[in-house]
mmCIF file of all heavy atoms in Angstrom:
data_model
loop_
_atom_site.group_PDB
_atom_site.id
_atom_site.type_symbol
_atom_site.label_atom_id
_atom_site.label_comp_id
_atom_site.label_asym_id
_atom_site.label_seq_id
_atom_site.Cartn_x
_atom_site.Cartn_y
_atom_site.Cartn_z
ATOM 1 N N ILE A 292 15.339 10.028 -4.824
ATOM 2 C CA ILE A 292 14.229 9.309 -5.437
ATOM 3 C C ILE A 292 14.696 7.899 -5.780
ATOM 4 O O ILE A 292 15.718 7.723 -6.459
ATOM 5 C CB ILE A 292 13.743 10.028 -6.710
ATOM 6 C CG1 ILE A 292 13.234 11.430 -6.375
ATOM 7 C CG2 ILE A 292 12.647 9.210 -7.404
ATOM 8 C CD1 ILE A 292 12.946 12.275 -7.607
ATOM 9 N N GLY A 293 13.936 6.902 -5.329
ATOM 10 C CA GLY A 293 14.271 5.521 -5.669
ATOM 11 C C GLY A 293 14.013 5.240 -7.134
ATOM 12 O O GLY A 293 14.931 4.891 -7.893
ATOM 13 N N VAL A 294 12.765 5.381 -7.566
ATOM 14 C CA VAL A 294 12.369 5.197 -8.959
ATOM 15 C C VAL A 294 11.635 6.447 -9.410
ATOM 16 O O VAL A 294 10.661 6.865 -8.768
ATOM 17 C CB VAL A 294 11.459 3.967 -9.137
ATOM 18 C CG1 VAL A 294 10.998 3.847 -10.595
ATOM 19 C CG2 VAL A 294 12.180 2.697 -8.700
ATOM 20 N N LEU A 295 12.110 7.045 -10.500
ATOM 21 C CA LEU A 295 11.448 8.210 -11.092
ATOM 22 C C LEU A 295 10.781 7.776 -12.387
ATOM 23 O O LEU A 295 11.433 7.212 -13.267
ATOM 24 C CB LEU A 295 12.462 9.321 -11.362
ATOM 25 C CG LEU A 295 11.928 10.554 -12.103
ATOM 26 C CD1 LEU A 295 10.842 11.256 -11.296
ATOM 27 C CD2 LEU A 295 13.073 11.530 -12.417
ATOM 28 N N THR A 296 9.471 8.023 -12.471
ATOM 29 C CA THR A 296 8.742 7.727 -13.701
ATOM 30 C C THR A 296 8.113 9.017 -14.222
ATOM 31 O O THR A 296 8.042 10.017 -13.524
ATOM 32 C CB THR A 296 7.661 6.659 -13.474
ATOM 33 O OG1 THR A 296 6.783 7.078 -12.409
ATOM 34 C CG2 THR A 296 8.288 5.323 -13.110
ATOM 35 N N ARG A 297 7.647 8.964 -15.452
ATOM 36 C CA ARG A 297 7.085 10.168 -16.059
ATOM 37 C C ARG A 297 5.801 9.839 -16.798
ATOM 38 O O ARG A 297 5.510 8.670 -17.103
ATOM 39 C CB ARG A 297 8.081 10.786 -17.028
ATOM 40 C CG ARG A 297 8.439 9.886 -18.213
ATOM 41 C CD ARG A 297 9.335 10.613 -19.172
ATOM 42 N NE ARG A 297 9.684 9.793 -20.330
ATOM 43 C CZ ARG A 297 9.997 10.292 -21.517
ATOM 44 N NH1 ARG A 297 9.982 11.596 -21.718
ATOM 45 N NH2 ARG A 297 10.314 9.500 -22.518
ATOM 46 N N THR A 298 5.040 10.860 -17.107
ATOM 47 C CA THR A 298 3.783 10.704 -17.837
ATOM 48 C C THR A 298 4.039 10.757 -19.335
ATOM 49 O O THR A 298 4.731 11.643 -19.828
ATOM 50 C CB THR A 298 2.797 11.819 -17.445
ATOM 51 O OG1 THR A 298 2.525 11.752 -16.046
ATOM 52 C CG2 THR A 298 1.496 11.683 -18.225
ATOM 53 N N LEU A 299 3.468 9.795 -20.051
ATOM 54 C CA LEU A 299 3.457 9.851 -21.508
ATOM 55 C C LEU A 299 2.019 9.900 -22.025
ATOM 56 O O LEU A 299 1.633 10.840 -22.686
ATOM 57 C CB LEU A 299 4.207 8.664 -22.111
ATOM 58 C CG LEU A 299 5.735 8.757 -22.101
ATOM 59 C CD1 LEU A 299 6.335 7.572 -22.843
ATOM 60 C CD2 LEU A 299 6.222 10.053 -22.725
ATOM 61 N N GLY A 300 1.229 8.878 -21.715
ATOM 62 C CA GLY A 300 -0.169 8.886 -22.146
ATOM 63 C C GLY A 300 -0.295 9.180 -23.631
ATOM 64 O O GLY A 300 0.331 8.534 -24.476
ATOM 65 N N SER A 301 -1.080 10.204 -23.964
ATOM 66 C CA SER A 301 -1.288 10.579 -25.362
ATOM 67 C C SER A 301 -0.259 11.587 -25.857
ATOM 68 O O SER A 301 -0.349 12.059 -26.992
ATOM 69 C CB SER A 301 -2.694 11.175 -25.535
ATOM 70 O OG SER A 301 -2.826 12.385 -24.796
ATOM 71 N N LEU A 302 0.728 11.923 -25.026
ATOM 72 C CA LEU A 302 1.695 12.955 -25.402
ATOM 73 C C LEU A 302 2.466 12.628 -26.681
ATOM 74 O O LEU A 302 2.690 13.525 -27.506
ATOM 75 C CB LEU A 302 2.655 13.213 -24.245
ATOM 76 C CG LEU A 302 2.037 13.829 -22.984
ATOM 77 C CD1 LEU A 302 3.080 13.932 -21.874
ATOM 78 C CD2 LEU A 302 1.460 15.206 -23.273
ATOM 79 N N PRO A 303 2.908 11.382 -26.911
ATOM 80 C CA PRO A 303 3.612 11.120 -28.175
ATOM 81 C C PRO A 303 2.758 11.422 -29.409
ATOM 82 O O PRO A 303 3.257 11.996 -30.387
ATOM 83 C CB PRO A 303 3.957 9.631 -28.077
ATOM 84 C CG PRO A 303 4.033 9.365 -26.604
ATOM 85 C CD PRO A 303 2.953 10.207 -26.011
ATOM 86 N N GLN A 304 1.488 11.041 -29.363
ATOM 87 C CA GLN A 304 0.606 11.300 -30.505
ATOM 88 C C GLN A 304 0.372 12.800 -30.684
ATOM 89 O O GLN A 304 0.372 13.316 -31.816
ATOM 90 C CB GLN A 304 -0.725 10.567 -30.319
ATOM 91 C CG GLN A 304 -0.634 9.056 -30.423
ATOM 92 C CD GLN A 304 0.007 8.398 -29.206
ATOM 93 O OE1 GLN A 304 -0.055 8.926 -28.092
ATOM 94 N NE2 GLN A 304 0.639 7.257 -29.407
ATOM 95 N N GLN A 305 0.167 13.506 -29.565
ATOM 96 C CA GLN A 305 0.001 14.956 -29.660
ATOM 97 C C GLN A 305 1.246 15.612 -30.254
ATOM 98 O O GLN A 305 1.159 16.505 -31.103
ATOM 99 C CB GLN A 305 -0.261 15.550 -28.283
ATOM 100 C CG GLN A 305 -1.588 15.189 -27.642
ATOM 101 C CD GLN A 305 -1.754 15.918 -26.317
ATOM 102 O OE1 GLN A 305 -1.643 17.138 -26.228
ATOM 103 N NE2 GLN A 305 -2.003 15.172 -25.255
ATOM 104 N N MET A 306 2.403 15.166 -29.795
ATOM 105 C CA MET A 306 3.648 15.748 -30.277
ATOM 106 C C MET A 306 3.834 15.470 -31.762
ATOM 107 O O MET A 306 4.282 16.353 -32.517
ATOM 108 C CB MET A 306 4.819 15.184 -29.484
ATOM 109 C CG MET A 306 6.097 15.972 -29.651
ATOM 110 S SD MET A 306 6.064 17.550 -28.771
ATOM 111 C CE MET A 306 6.410 17.006 -27.096
ATOM 112 N N ALA A 307 3.494 14.271 -32.185
ATOM 113 C CA ALA A 307 3.615 13.931 -33.603
ATOM 114 C C ALA A 307 2.722 14.831 -34.457
ATOM 115 O O ALA A 307 3.136 15.301 -35.526
ATOM 116 C CB ALA A 307 3.256 12.462 -33.818
#
Side-chain angles (χ1 to χ4, degrees):
I292 298 171
V294 177
L295 175 62
T296 55
R297 63 175 181 153
T298 300
L299 282 185
S301 64
L302 294 176
Q304 291 74 28
Q305 292 184 54
M306 195 74 79

